Amino acid sequence: MSDKDCRLVFGCGIEDSQFTEIMSASKPNESVKRRNKNFLNNSEQEFVAGRRNTVLQTLKKLKIQCSRKEVPNIALLGSGGGQRAMVGLLGSLVQLDKAGLLDCILYLSGVSGSTWCMASLYKEPDWSTKLETVKNKIIERIRGPEVSLTDAMAKLKKYYYGKDLFSLTDVWAVLVVTSYVKEIDERTLTEQRKQHNKDPFPIYAVIDKQSKQSNDGDPWFEINPYEAGYSLSGVFVDTGDFGSQFQKGSKIKHQDEFDMLYLQALCGSALGDEEDIKKTMWQKIKAFFQNETTLEAMRKEERERTDEVMRKEKETEGNEAVLDSLSKPRPSDSGKYRFPSDKPISPSVDECHRALMDLVNMNLSVLNGKDPSGFEKSIRTNLNDVWISICKCMAQWIWGRKYNLLHNMTDEAVNSTLLQSETRDYIDGGLLLNSPYFSVLREDRDIDLIISLDFSQGDPFMTVNDAAETCKKLKIPFPEVNVTSEDKTKPKDFYVFKGQNTPTVIHIPLFNAVNCGDKVEDWRKKYRTFQGAYSAEMIADLMDIAGKNISNNREKLKEQIRAVTEEKRFGRFKTFLNKDPFRLNIN
């Protein structure tokens, strides 16, 4: 499909009667469509139909009888929590598999660290059919060595020159996320289509930063193999086109689809508050440039560039022509222009290296309350290229910047604040709600049971309480959440919240009085969100502690699955009676 033919889709298929059509003002023969909230897009609908057959067969094995129409829609949510969430989700899924319950799950959705686990799982086609093998491969990798600095530097440049909009998310991906996941995953999400017919449907959740800050519009944004868009507004674009430039519903400039490493950084960039992140970013950059391998790679690049200049000198009729060409801006692969330096000839690598180190130390000084003025001169004199862009992003705190897929649309049903700006910033969903409830609370997904795995560092009930409060404001069906003061200090390992005409919510805090005894706080301190990569022993212990929350509650999980199945059957029976009470001689 050409750029010209690509339209922004408010939904992705089914029939015309299921959409609201909106005509483009500038090109009246072109239209975009916003999907009716009662319908999934074609691809997801097809996937769900097949997955429900798997769920039906699994329920029969568990001796839970129901017809195909009575199969409950069950969503498993993984909260944020950095590597703690990544390992915790993996340990939970392994035990769900051993308990024979994994194939009851229709949707698997995550934010932040849980998406790191998801990305590793969905790297393997039909991972749920060979989870023990996949688990071992993941653990072996995350216990292994980090990505080399040479590879990290090459990847950072690839991000920088490969697209129009560069942000701290690119830096975070290369310097931070790789230190936890221990790989540069260059696959894309759309490549996973048709590879996971035997797995739950994956949903990666982030938020729109501007909507969060203005407390206006729809902040909840989701990305799956087929589409990306605003969960509650029902506005989506093909995942392969997310990030491309749109104008009034038509794609006007293509951008390549981001890879899985970037997606993990987009979803998982809130490993602490803003100040902690800034300190960590600069400390990571400092370690990066203190490494002799990095410096040698920079010197090698300078030598190659010098050789290229000398070669050109021989092909031209004078030194002035060479200097003139070096002083002009040069286009990158993505069409952007970069100046090698403010001066005709760039400073040496060692001068740039000193400037970079001064830049790092200056920012660390500011963050630590010290005078930074001593570092300014060399920075102004020598720093250039990609590192200037990083500095600008740091100064403006730019994360996850993408072209706005709704730019200049005209649709009264979508909040006007989402339509105006040319770009939007997408950030870790945990900064607003540390669990992806709103990706599965869409009306068209019709979820009966939510299993919430909470890997949060602080209050183990904050996410479910905040979800309930937000749902009340938005008039989205959600059960009331009532916990005692004792629960907050000594949480149990299994909570069930029910309501009338709402999904049932099972809430499972990672560290609790059952699997940790009276050492809950000790476990929390041991597995802080903001710390380095875990040791092999820490990974094994965390896998075990997370798994116990499932193995200890296998029968309770089955009981709730059976309950929502029966409720669905009873609901269908009530609907039948309401439609035709005389058939059963009911007056």
Side-chain angles (χ1 to χ4, degrees):
M1 181 183 294
S2 69
D3 289 0
K4 186 176 180 180
D5 293 334
C6 181
R7 303 286 176 265
L8 172 65
V9 180
F10 285 56
C12 290
I14 317 181
E15 301 172 359
D16 290 344
S17 61
Q18 297 169 0
F19 294 94
T20 301
E21 186 172 273
I22 308 156
M23 302 306 294
S24 169
S26 61
K27 298 180 180 180
N29 61 318
E30 297 179 359
S31 65
V32 297
K33 297 177 181 180
R34 174 169 41 81
R35 187 168 61 249
N36 185 301
K37 290 184 179 181
N38 293 320
F39 297 95
L40 299 171
N41 77 65
N42 266 346
S43 298
E44 184 175 340
Q45 201 173 51
E46 180 183 338
F47 183 99
V48 166
R51 182 65 180 172
R52 282 171 61 84
N53 285 331
T54 300
V55 176
L56 177 61
Q57 298 306 314
T58 302
L59 293 177
K60 288 181 178 179
K61 292 178 183 177
L62 296 171
K63 303 191 184 319
I64 299 174
Q65 298 302 317
C66 66
S67 68
R68 192 178 184 284
K69 291 183 178 179
E70 295 162 357
V71 170
N73 293 339
I74 302 174
L76 182 70
L77 308 185
S79 81
Q83 193 177 12
R84 182 182 59 249
M86 178 186 186
V87 176
L89 179 57
L90 182 60
S92 301
L93 290 167
V94 168
Q95 287 303 319
L96 280 169
D97 185 37
K98 291 180 179 180
L101 301 175
L102 182 56
D103 278 338
C104 293
I105 307 300
L106 180 60
Y107 290 98
L108 174 58
S109 184
V111 298
S112 199
S114 284
T115 65
W116 301 351
C117 176
M118 290 171 60
S120 292
L121 290 169
Y122 285 88
K123 187 177 181 179
E124 300 284 343
D126 293 331
W127 58 266
S128 62
T129 65
K130 50 187 176 184
L131 184 51
E132 189 65 23
T133 300
V134 173
K135 175 206 74 174
N136 290 337
K137 288 175 66 174
I138 294 172
I139 291 176
E140 182 179 2
R141 169 165 49 82
I142 64 176
R143 291 191 310 192
E146 292 189 17
V147 170
S148 73
L149 290 171
T150 302
D151 290 344
M153 185 175 174
K155 183 61 179 176
L156 188 60
K157 288 186 177 181
K158 192 172 182 180
Y159 278 149
Y160 181 67
Y161 290 111
K163 55 187 174 182
D164 289 357
L165 302 174
F166 180 81
S167 76
L168 291 177
T169 303
D170 300 280
V171 184
W172 189 262
V174 171
L175 297 186
V176 179
V177 174
T178 57
S179 69
Y180 293 101
V181 301
K182 309 292 181 67
E183 67 173 348
I184 295 175
D185 188 349
E186 295 189 314
R187 298 169 307 114
T188 63
L189 200 52
T190 59
E191 291 174 9
Q192 297 178 16
R193 294 172 179 175
K194 308 300 181 182
Q195 292 185 356
H196 297 282
N197 294 327
K198 297 180 181 179
D199 302 320
F201 189 86
I203 307 171
Y204 299 80
V206 296
I207 56 171
D208 181 307
K209 179 179 178 179
Q210 286 84 356
S211 291
K212 172 188 179 291
Q213 291 178 336
S214 65
N215 199 25
D216 194 11
D218 177 7
W220 315 106
F221 196 94
E222 64 178 78
I223 307 165
N224 66 55
Y226 299 99
E227 62 182 5
Y230 292 90
S231 300
L232 301 186
S233 298
V235 189
F236 298 92
V237 69
D238 185 280
T239 300
D241 289 317
F242 175 46
S244 292
Q245 189 173 10
F246 282 84
Q247 179 71 244
K248 296 184 178 181
S250 295
K251 188 169 79 169
I252 61 174
K253 186 176 184 181
H254 179 71
Q255 297 283 284
D256 290 342
E257 181 183 355
F258 51 75
D259 60 23
M260 293 302 294
L261 174 61
Y262 180 89
L263 178 60
Q264 291 173 84
L266 192 71
C267 294
S269 55
L271 297 184
D273 63 30
E274 183 172 315
E275 184 171 311
D276 279 341
I277 292 179
K278 285 181 176 177
K279 286 183 180 179
T280 297
M281 290 285 282
W282 286 117
Q283 286 165 351
K284 284 283 184 181
I285 292 171
K286 183 174 183 176
F288 184 79
F289 285 108
Q290 282 179 326
N291 188 283
E292 184 62 30
T293 302
T294 302
L295 186 55
E296 182 55 39
M298 293 170 68
R299 290 177 180 139
K300 180 181 178 182
E301 184 179 5
E302 184 188 38
R303 288 195 296 270
E304 291 174 349
R305 184 177 171 186
T306 301
D307 291 344
E308 177 67 14
V309 170
M310 293 179 67
R311 185 185 64 80
K312 287 184 177 180
E313 282 183 336
K314 294 177 181 179
E315 296 174 356
T316 58
E317 295 181 351
N319 203 40
E320 290 181 1
V322 177
L323 293 176
D324 182 63
S325 67
L326 283 173
S327 65
K328 292 180 180 179
R330 56 184 175 85
S332 69
D333 294 339
S334 64
K336 294 181 290 188
Y337 283 87
R338 309 285 179 214
F339 283 89
S341 172
D342 293 331
K343 300 182 295 185
I345 300 177
S346 298
S348 71
V349 161
D350 290 289
E351 289 173 321
C352 285
H353 181 260
R354 284 195 297 273
L356 284 165
M357 293 307 299
D358 286 342
L359 173 74
V360 172
N361 288 324
M362 182 184 75
N363 279 274
L364 287 172
S365 294
V366 171
L367 291 168
N368 291 318
K370 298 179 180 178
D371 180 14
S373 59
F375 301 109
E376 292 179 1
K377 184 177 179 180
S378 70
I379 293 169
R380 290 175 181 169
T381 304
N382 295 319
L383 199 56
N384 57 32
D385 202 29
V386 60
W387 311 111
I388 284 182
S389 183
I390 292 174
C391 295
K392 288 179 179 178
C393 290
M394 289 289 284
Q396 299 174 35
W397 207 235
I398 298 172
W399 289 81
R401 182 154 292 180
K402 296 288 182 187
Y403 284 119
N404 183 7
L405 57 92
L406 301 179
H407 188 221
N408 283 341
M409 286 299 304
T410 53
D411 180 12
E412 294 180 358
V414 178
N415 192 293
S416 61
T417 59
L418 293 176
L419 310 175
Q420 297 164 1
S421 58
E422 185 179 11
T423 61
R424 308 292 291 187
D425 297 344
Y426 300 97
I427 57 176
D428 192 315
L431 289 169
L432 183 59
L433 183 68
N434 201 31
S435 195
Y437 279 100
F438 291 96
S439 65
V440 300
L441 286 172
R442 280 171 43 181
E443 187 177 343
D444 50 357
R445 288 191 170 133
D446 192 26
I447 297 299
D448 301 293
L449 175 62
I450 295 173
I451 303 174
S452 165
L453 302 177
D454 196 289
F455 308 115
S456 303
Q457 179 168 299
D459 182 352
F461 301 100
M462 180 181 288
T463 55
V464 68
N465 273 316
D466 287 352
E469 184 178 336
T470 304
C471 284
K472 189 174 182 179
K473 292 178 182 176
L474 298 176
K475 297 182 180 179
I476 296 173
F478 198 86
E480 287 190 19
V481 176
N482 296 306
V483 293
T484 67
S485 57
E486 184 180 4
D487 285 324
K488 293 181 179 180
T489 56
K490 296 181 179 179
K492 296 188 282 289
D493 62 348
F494 197 87
Y495 293 85
V496 180
F497 305 111
K498 291 176 175 285
Q500 188 172 4
N501 299 319
T502 74
T504 296
V505 175
I506 295 173
H507 186 70
I508 302 177
L510 173 60
F511 301 131
N512 53 73
V514 177
N515 62 5
C516 299
D518 60 356
K519 299 186 181 298
V520 172
E521 282 303 318
D522 291 343
W523 279 90
R524 289 175 179 169
K525 290 176 182 178
K526 181 179 178 181
Y527 291 95
R528 291 173 290 109
T529 302
F530 212 61
Q531 67 183 65
Y534 298 157
S535 66
E537 182 181 359
M538 289 178 70
I539 291 171
D541 290 346
L542 186 55
M543 287 279 294
D544 181 63
I545 209 82
K548 285 180 179 177
N549 288 331
I550 302 300
S551 58
N552 290 344
N553 292 293
R554 181 179 185 272
E555 293 307 314
K556 290 180 182 178
L557 284 163
K558 282 178 58 180
E559 179 184 337
Q560 293 305 319
I561 294 171
R562 180 177 284 106
V564 295
T565 304
E566 292 174 354
E567 287 171 15
K568 198 161 189 175
R569 181 187 303 124
F570 183 66
R572 292 185 67 246
F573 183 62
K574 281 176 64 178
T575 302
F576 171 78
L577 293 183
N578 290 335
K579 285 183 177 179
D580 194 358
F582 300 103
R583 186 173 295 181
L584 294 179
N585 296 320
I586 297 176
N587 296 322

Coordinates of all heavy atoms in Angstrom, one line a residue, residues 238 296 422 485:
D238 N -3.1 1.4 11.8 CA -2.3 0.2 11.7 C -1.0 0.3 12.5 O -0.3 1.4 12.3 CB -2.1 -0.1 10.2 CG -1.4 -1.5 10.0 OD1 -0.1 -1.5 10.2 OD2 -2.0 -2.5 9.7
E296 N 37.7 4.3 21.9 CA 38.5 3.8 20.8 C 37.6 3.7 19.5 O 38.0 4.0 18.4 CB 39.0 2.4 21.1 CG 39.8 1.8 20.0 CD 41.0 2.7 19.5 OE1 41.6 3.3 20.4 OE2 41.3 2.7 18.3
E422 N 1.0 18.8 16.2 CA 1.6 17.9 15.2 C 2.2 16.7 15.7 O 2.3 15.7 15.1 CB 2.6 18.8 14.4 CG 3.2 18.0 13.2 CD 4.2 18.8 12.4 OE1 4.5 19.9 12.9 OE2 4.5 18.4 11.3
S485 N -7.4 -1.6 56.8 CA -6.1 -1.0 57.1 C -5.0 -2.1 57.4 O -3.9 -1.9 57.1 CB -6.2 -0.1 58.3 OG -6.7 -0.8 59.5

